[in-house]
Amino acid sequence: MAGPPQLSPRPARPNILRYVILVLVALIVLVGLVVLIIWLTVRPKRLRYTVESAAVHNFDMSTTQLNASFNFGVKAYNPNRHVSVYYDHVTVTVGFGDQDLAFGVIKPFYQPHKDVTWLNMDLNAKNFLLHDSVSKDLALEKAAGEMDLDLWIKARIRYKVGVWKLGHRTLRIRCSPVIVYLSKDKEFKRTACFTEV
Ligand SMILES: *[C@@H]1O[C@H](CO)[C@@H](O)[C@H](O)[C@H]1NC(C)=O
């Protein structure tokens, strides 16, 4: 007669729910703040890259085509005391003028904190079709015994801070110009690279 009795105890519930949600939100904000503070204190320093050696072998070109093997020795330094790095996917490109001449892939690796890793990169151009202007400039530099190459490295990395592994980000490394001498009597000069995460 007085209506369904189950209606009366209900109004209490939304309050509890509201508290639970409030506490959850407060917790999330708190955890976020803690993570932010830790992140700001251990924030990763720039990873440092230098090209320590560079060589071109089996160089052979016609007016339109190129055969060549490029080799680069690159030193990767992680200056961080608390941050290590997973390199999950690394691609390497050697460019000349406005054309990319050869590509390569480096095996995934892990770099602990304060670590130096030497990377050896072999890239091959085979029957590679050259742009007109690139072919002319390359022939001129070859004749002069000195080539200005660009080395581009692109890596999908993850930082590890303590036990935390953070999400993927893209590291771009540009080494330019890497000057390769074709005669043996000139020594290669180390080239510092520009990095951007
Ligand atoms: C490049 O090498 C291939 C064989 O691997 C050869 O057929 C071609 O003529 C070479 N090209 C040049 C420009 O030397």
Side-chain angles (χ1 to χ4, degrees):
M1 269 206 198
Q6 70 267 31
L7 275 181
S8 50
R10 277 221 174 143
R13 281 208 180 152
N15 276 332
I16 293 169
L17 206 70
R18 205 171 294 157
Y19 281 124
V20 169
I21 288 172
L22 224 81
V23 167
L24 275 180
V25 168
L27 266 176
I28 289 167
V29 169
L30 203 71
V31 168
L33 269 175
V34 168
V35 168
L36 184 69
I37 288 166
I38 291 173
W39 178 249
L40 289 177
T41 39
V42 301
R43 188 163 35 171
K45 291 192 195 119
R46 230 175 241 284
L47 301 164
R48 285 192 226 143
Y49 277 77
T50 47
V51 182
E52 303 284 334
S53 69
V56 181
H57 301 290
N58 309 322
F59 189 95
D60 219 334
M61 68 180 286
S62 65
T63 47
T64 53
Q65 286 197 359
L66 171 74
N67 286 341
S69 308
F70 302 91
N71 177 267
F72 298 95
V74 174
K75 191 169 97 174
Y77 174 54
N78 175 7
N80 294 288
R81 265 194 297 170
H82 303 289
V83 182
S84 0
V85 188
Y86 289 96
Y87 287 81
D88 289 324
H89 185 71
V90 188
T91 55
V92 190
T93 306
V94 57
F96 177 86
D98 56 9
Q99 197 172 14
D100 297 337
L101 300 182
F103 309 88
V105 176
I106 293 177
K107 263 196 233 135
F109 65 100
Y110 171 70
Q111 187 171 39
H113 51 89
K114 286 279 175 194
D115 171 76
V116 173
T117 298
W118 289 84
L119 302 167
N120 187 44
M121 303 172 181
D122 283 310
L123 303 92
N124 293 303
K126 194 162 187 195
N127 294 327
F128 187 82
L129 217 56
L130 294 167
H131 295 165
D132 261 359
S133 62
V134 171
S135 150
K136 280 185 195 121
D137 294 346
L138 197 56
L140 287 174
E141 292 198 15
K142 164 81 161 70
E146 180 181 322
M147 270 182 226
D148 290 8
L149 302 173
D150 299 319
L151 183 67
W152 311 87
I153 304 164
K154 195 171 151 193
R156 291 289 285 163
I157 62 165
R158 280 173 299 151
Y159 289 123
K160 186 175 160 211
V161 183
V163 293
W164 288 334
K165 291 172 192 167
L166 306 180
H168 273 113
R169 55 195 71 209
T170 302
L171 168 68
R172 288 189 174 79
I173 303 159
R174 179 168 54 95
C175 319
S176 170
V178 180
I179 302 170
V180 180
Y181 298 108
L182 300 173
S183 71
K184 293 260 189 304
D185 39 291
K186 276 198 178 172
E187 214 170 301
F188 179 77
K189 284 195 198 73
R190 167 189 296 146
T191 310
C193 304
F194 174 82
T195 60
E196 182 188 40
V197 179

mmCIF file of all heavy atoms in Angstrom, residues 58-68 125-128 130, ligand 1:
data_model
loop_
_atom_site.group_PDB
_atom_site.id
_atom_site.type_symbol
_atom_site.label_atom_id
_atom_site.label_comp_id
_atom_site.label_asym_id
_atom_site.label_seq_id
_atom_site.Cartn_x
_atom_site.Cartn_y
_atom_site.Cartn_z
ATOM 1 N N ASN A 58 84.627 -0.869 -51.701
ATOM 2 C CA ASN A 58 84.034 -1.375 -52.948
ATOM 3 C C ASN A 58 83.219 -0.306 -53.675
ATOM 4 O O ASN A 58 82.140 -0.577 -54.178
ATOM 5 C CB ASN A 58 83.127 -2.579 -52.669
ATOM 6 C CG ASN A 58 83.833 -3.627 -51.838
ATOM 7 O OD1 ASN A 58 85.024 -3.877 -52.023
ATOM 8 N ND2 ASN A 58 83.113 -4.218 -50.906
ATOM 9 N N PHE A 59 83.763 0.884 -53.665
ATOM 10 C CA PHE A 59 83.045 1.992 -54.292
ATOM 11 C C PHE A 59 83.149 1.887 -55.807
ATOM 12 O O PHE A 59 84.230 1.779 -56.360
ATOM 13 C CB PHE A 59 83.631 3.313 -53.813
ATOM 14 C CG PHE A 59 82.821 4.511 -54.224
ATOM 15 C CD1 PHE A 59 81.884 5.054 -53.379
ATOM 16 C CD2 PHE A 59 82.995 5.081 -55.488
ATOM 17 C CE1 PHE A 59 81.128 6.148 -53.760
ATOM 18 C CE2 PHE A 59 82.226 6.170 -55.872
ATOM 19 C CZ PHE A 59 81.304 6.707 -55.007
ATOM 20 N N ASP A 60 81.997 1.906 -56.434
ATOM 21 C CA ASP A 60 81.956 1.752 -57.885
ATOM 22 C C ASP A 60 80.711 2.463 -58.372
ATOM 23 O O ASP A 60 79.611 2.152 -57.937
ATOM 24 C CB ASP A 60 81.854 0.254 -58.217
ATOM 25 C CG ASP A 60 82.687 -0.099 -59.422
ATOM 26 O OD1 ASP A 60 82.917 0.805 -60.244
ATOM 27 O OD2 ASP A 60 83.092 -1.271 -59.520
ATOM 28 N N MET A 61 80.875 3.436 -59.242
ATOM 29 C CA MET A 61 79.662 4.101 -59.718
ATOM 30 C C MET A 61 79.710 4.364 -61.213
ATOM 31 O O MET A 61 80.760 4.589 -61.805
ATOM 32 C CB MET A 61 79.405 5.395 -58.950
ATOM 33 C CG MET A 61 80.397 6.496 -59.188
ATOM 34 S SD MET A 61 79.981 7.978 -58.233
ATOM 35 C CE MET A 61 78.589 8.597 -59.150
ATOM 36 N N SER A 62 78.517 4.298 -61.805
ATOM 37 C CA SER A 62 78.365 4.745 -63.191
ATOM 38 C C SER A 62 77.639 6.084 -63.093
ATOM 39 O O SER A 62 77.472 6.616 -61.998
ATOM 40 C CB SER A 62 77.543 3.723 -63.967
ATOM 41 O OG SER A 62 76.243 3.685 -63.430
ATOM 42 N N THR A 63 77.153 6.633 -64.205
ATOM 43 C CA THR A 63 76.463 7.923 -64.109
ATOM 44 C C THR A 63 75.129 7.790 -63.383
ATOM 45 O O THR A 63 74.609 8.761 -62.854
ATOM 46 C CB THR A 63 76.212 8.521 -65.508
ATOM 47 O OG1 THR A 63 75.676 7.492 -66.332
ATOM 48 C CG2 THR A 63 77.484 9.066 -66.116
ATOM 49 N N THR A 64 74.577 6.586 -63.369
ATOM 50 C CA THR A 64 73.259 6.453 -62.730
ATOM 51 C C THR A 64 73.239 5.513 -61.539
ATOM 52 O O THR A 64 72.321 5.553 -60.738
ATOM 53 C CB THR A 64 72.215 5.931 -63.748
ATOM 54 O OG1 THR A 64 72.742 4.739 -64.336
ATOM 55 C CG2 THR A 64 71.933 6.944 -64.829
ATOM 56 N N GLN A 65 74.257 4.652 -61.426
ATOM 57 C CA GLN A 65 74.191 3.622 -60.393
ATOM 58 C C GLN A 65 75.393 3.617 -59.460
ATOM 59 O O GLN A 65 76.491 4.009 -59.846
ATOM 60 C CB GLN A 65 74.064 2.249 -61.048
ATOM 61 C CG GLN A 65 72.680 2.030 -61.623
ATOM 62 C CD GLN A 65 72.423 0.562 -61.901
ATOM 63 O OE1 GLN A 65 73.286 -0.283 -61.677
ATOM 64 N NE2 GLN A 65 71.234 0.265 -62.384
ATOM 65 N N LEU A 66 75.124 3.143 -58.265
ATOM 66 C CA LEU A 66 76.181 3.097 -57.258
ATOM 67 C C LEU A 66 76.239 1.725 -56.594
ATOM 68 O O LEU A 66 75.220 1.139 -56.237
ATOM 69 C CB LEU A 66 75.907 4.154 -56.179
ATOM 70 C CG LEU A 66 76.796 4.113 -54.935
ATOM 71 C CD1 LEU A 66 78.184 4.646 -55.242
ATOM 72 C CD2 LEU A 66 76.167 4.919 -53.803
ATOM 73 N N ASN A 67 77.464 1.237 -56.432
ATOM 74 C CA ASN A 67 77.742 0.096 -55.564
ATOM 75 C C ASN A 67 78.713 0.604 -54.495
ATOM 76 O O ASN A 67 79.733 1.186 -54.841
ATOM 77 C CB ASN A 67 78.446 -1.043 -56.311
ATOM 78 C CG ASN A 67 77.508 -1.793 -57.248
ATOM 79 O OD1 ASN A 67 76.294 -1.727 -57.109
ATOM 80 N ND2 ASN A 67 78.098 -2.502 -58.196
ATOM 81 N N ALA A 68 78.414 0.375 -53.266
ATOM 82 C CA ALA A 68 79.343 0.804 -52.220
ATOM 83 C C ALA A 68 78.972 0.148 -50.898
ATOM 84 O O ALA A 68 77.812 -0.175 -50.652
ATOM 85 C CB ALA A 68 79.317 2.322 -52.060
ATOM 86 N N ALA A 125 75.051 -0.295 -50.554
ATOM 87 C CA ALA A 125 74.280 0.188 -51.693
ATOM 88 C C ALA A 125 74.614 -0.734 -52.849
ATOM 89 O O ALA A 125 75.782 -0.935 -53.165
ATOM 90 C CB ALA A 125 74.663 1.623 -52.014
ATOM 91 N N LYS A 126 73.594 -1.331 -53.445
ATOM 92 C CA LYS A 126 73.854 -2.245 -54.567
ATOM 93 C C LYS A 126 72.958 -1.883 -55.735
ATOM 94 O O LYS A 126 71.746 -1.831 -55.587
ATOM 95 C CB LYS A 126 73.614 -3.685 -54.130
ATOM 96 C CG LYS A 126 74.187 -4.667 -55.108
ATOM 97 C CD LYS A 126 74.349 -6.041 -54.490
ATOM 98 C CE LYS A 126 75.083 -6.936 -55.464
ATOM 99 N NZ LYS A 126 74.959 -8.332 -55.098
ATOM 100 N N ASN A 127 73.576 -1.622 -56.873
ATOM 101 C CA ASN A 127 72.844 -1.164 -58.062
ATOM 102 C C ASN A 127 71.883 -0.044 -57.691
ATOM 103 O O ASN A 127 70.736 -0.023 -58.130
ATOM 104 C CB ASN A 127 72.037 -2.308 -58.688
ATOM 105 C CG ASN A 127 72.942 -3.386 -59.250
ATOM 106 O OD1 ASN A 127 74.032 -3.102 -59.728
ATOM 107 N ND2 ASN A 127 72.494 -4.624 -59.170
ATOM 108 N N PHE A 128 72.375 0.837 -56.859
ATOM 109 C CA PHE A 128 71.499 1.877 -56.328
ATOM 110 C C PHE A 128 71.363 3.012 -57.339
ATOM 111 O O PHE A 128 72.351 3.565 -57.824
ATOM 112 C CB PHE A 128 72.065 2.386 -55.005
ATOM 113 C CG PHE A 128 71.146 3.325 -54.310
ATOM 114 C CD1 PHE A 128 70.099 2.842 -53.539
ATOM 115 C CD2 PHE A 128 71.304 4.699 -54.445
ATOM 116 C CE1 PHE A 128 69.227 3.709 -52.913
ATOM 117 C CE2 PHE A 128 70.431 5.568 -53.812
ATOM 118 C CZ PHE A 128 69.401 5.068 -53.044
ATOM 119 N N LEU A 130 70.951 6.541 -58.698
ATOM 120 C CA LEU A 130 71.272 7.873 -58.172
ATOM 121 C C LEU A 130 70.507 8.966 -58.910
ATOM 122 O O LEU A 130 70.293 8.875 -60.121
ATOM 123 C CB LEU A 130 72.776 8.142 -58.332
ATOM 124 C CG LEU A 130 73.734 7.281 -57.518
ATOM 125 C CD1 LEU A 130 75.161 7.458 -58.032
ATOM 126 C CD2 LEU A 130 73.649 7.658 -56.042
HETATM 127 C C1 LIG B 1 77.287 -3.220 -59.197
HETATM 128 O O1 LIG B 1 77.444 -4.594 -58.957
HETATM 129 C C2 LIG B 1 76.726 -5.431 -59.837
HETATM 130 C C3 LIG B 1 77.009 -6.876 -59.444
HETATM 131 O O2 LIG B 1 76.777 -7.080 -58.087
HETATM 132 C C4 LIG B 1 77.138 -5.186 -61.266
HETATM 133 O O3 LIG B 1 76.350 -5.960 -62.137
HETATM 134 C C5 LIG B 1 76.976 -3.726 -61.599
HETATM 135 O O4 LIG B 1 77.490 -3.451 -62.894
HETATM 136 C C6 LIG B 1 77.715 -2.862 -60.599
HETATM 137 N N1 LIG B 1 77.469 -1.457 -60.883
HETATM 138 C C7 LIG B 1 78.444 -0.546 -60.959
HETATM 139 C C8 LIG B 1 78.006 0.841 -61.210
HETATM 140 O O5 LIG B 1 79.613 -0.833 -60.814
#
